[in-house]
Amino acid sequence: MSGELQVLRRAHALFAGAAEPPAVEVAGASPAGIPGGSVGATAAGYRQQAGTWGDRLQGARWVDAQLAGILARAYRDHREAHRGTGAVLAAARADAATVPDNPIAAREALRRRAYRLRAQRAHLLAARRRARRRRGSLRALRYRLRAREAAGPTGRRPEAAVRAALSKLGRPYVWGATGPDRFDCSGLVQWAYAQAGVPLHRTTYEQIHDGAPVSRSQVRAGDLVFPHAGHVQLAIGGNLVVEAPHAGATVQISRMGQNVAIRRPF
């Protein structure tokens, strides 16, 4: 029994401590450097600079929120593994005080011991799988952050994506196509942003989680517009969108609907 307790105790010790995740301070105040009242600064120059910093700040908020979510899930996994392995260890300690006094009781004690060892192993394997998922999420976040930095100033990327999409007007809709001459709705959006150096997910159901939500009153060119969960359009300004609408149609400009969800990639 002492050998079993030692094994179970080592497994439980892997998840000791770190009860709460470190706080991630989500970006809030505007960074220094926005012109405000300097002599000779024009209103147009101010708006351009403020817009650039606003985009960067919103992007930082999104990254901070994603990182905070990943850390929270990782620490929740840690606590769950700590509780699970602790429960198995507690059961073994309680059983250690009981000495079998007949062959049937001894066999039952062995059965319980084997069950506890299997349960502890299952806790360890589950924790390893969850840790791999969290590492994958962190790698994906780092990749997207580096891709966004490599793509240059935020303000130019949506414009480049819009220009790319508009260059494909008249090209046929083909389900599952991702360009350069045939597109479905999400394929057009993904291809257009790829030309601007921004990676997006492939399907509409994934793209609806890309970037950050934006209200309809704040929509601007380059935002992803979702009239419903199965279709995506690209805002181009003036209450218009460019889209690959459905089979039998071509890439076209349409009016933006009223009841839409909007996401802004970074």
Side-chain angles (χ1 to χ4, degrees), residues 34-52:
I34 295 178
S38 58
V39 177
T42 65
Y46 176 86
R47 285 194 296 269
Q48 181 180 7
Q49 186 74 354
T52 298

Side-chain angles (χ1 to χ4, degrees), residues 45-224:
Y46 176 86
R47 285 194 296 269
Q48 181 180 7
Q49 186 74 354
T52 298
W53 281 115
D55 287 340
R56 292 179 181 177
L57 178 59
Q58 190 170 14
R61 285 173 176 163
W62 180 83
V63 171
D64 289 346
Q66 293 294 311
L67 177 59
I70 294 171
L71 289 177
R73 290 189 290 273
Y75 276 80
R76 181 194 63 200
D77 296 342
H78 186 94
R79 290 192 297 270
E80 289 178 359
H82 185 263
R83 285 194 295 267
T85 56
V88 175
L89 178 59
R93 285 170 172 164
D95 211 21
T98 303
V99 179
D101 57 0
N102 60 73
I104 295 178
R107 186 176 62 183
E108 179 62 19
L110 287 175
R111 187 191 66 81
R112 292 195 301 271
R113 180 181 182 184
Y115 171 80
R116 288 191 295 267
L117 291 172
R118 287 194 299 269
Q120 203 74 321
R121 181 175 183 271
H123 285 306
L124 293 176
L125 293 177
R128 179 184 295 177
R129 288 193 299 269
R130 290 192 291 265
R132 286 173 178 169
R133 287 199 295 270
R134 306 309 170 218
R135 285 197 298 270
S137 297
L138 286 172
R139 284 195 297 269
L141 181 62
R142 181 173 59 184
Y143 168 77
R144 295 187 66 183
L145 181 60
R146 288 178 175 175
R148 186 170 68 247
E149 292 172 347
T154 303
R156 292 201 287 268
R157 292 199 303 273
E159 294 174 3
V162 168
R163 286 195 300 269
L166 291 175
S167 73
K168 298 302 178 179
L169 289 175
R171 302 300 171 87
Y173 176 101
V174 176
W175 186 85
T178 58
D181 297 314
R182 302 181 300 170
F183 302 91
D184 64 11
C185 64
S186 56
L188 175 64
V189 169
Q190 184 192 47
W191 179 87
Y193 260 101
Q195 309 318 298
V198 178
L200 295 183
H201 284 97
R202 168 62 189 95
T203 69
T204 305
Y205 302 98
E206 294 171 311
Q207 290 176 4
I208 202 168
H209 300 294
D210 282 336
V214 178
S215 67
R216 197 183 191 286
S217 63
Q218 300 296 319
V219 66
R220 35 178 217 236
D223 289 346
L224 309 187

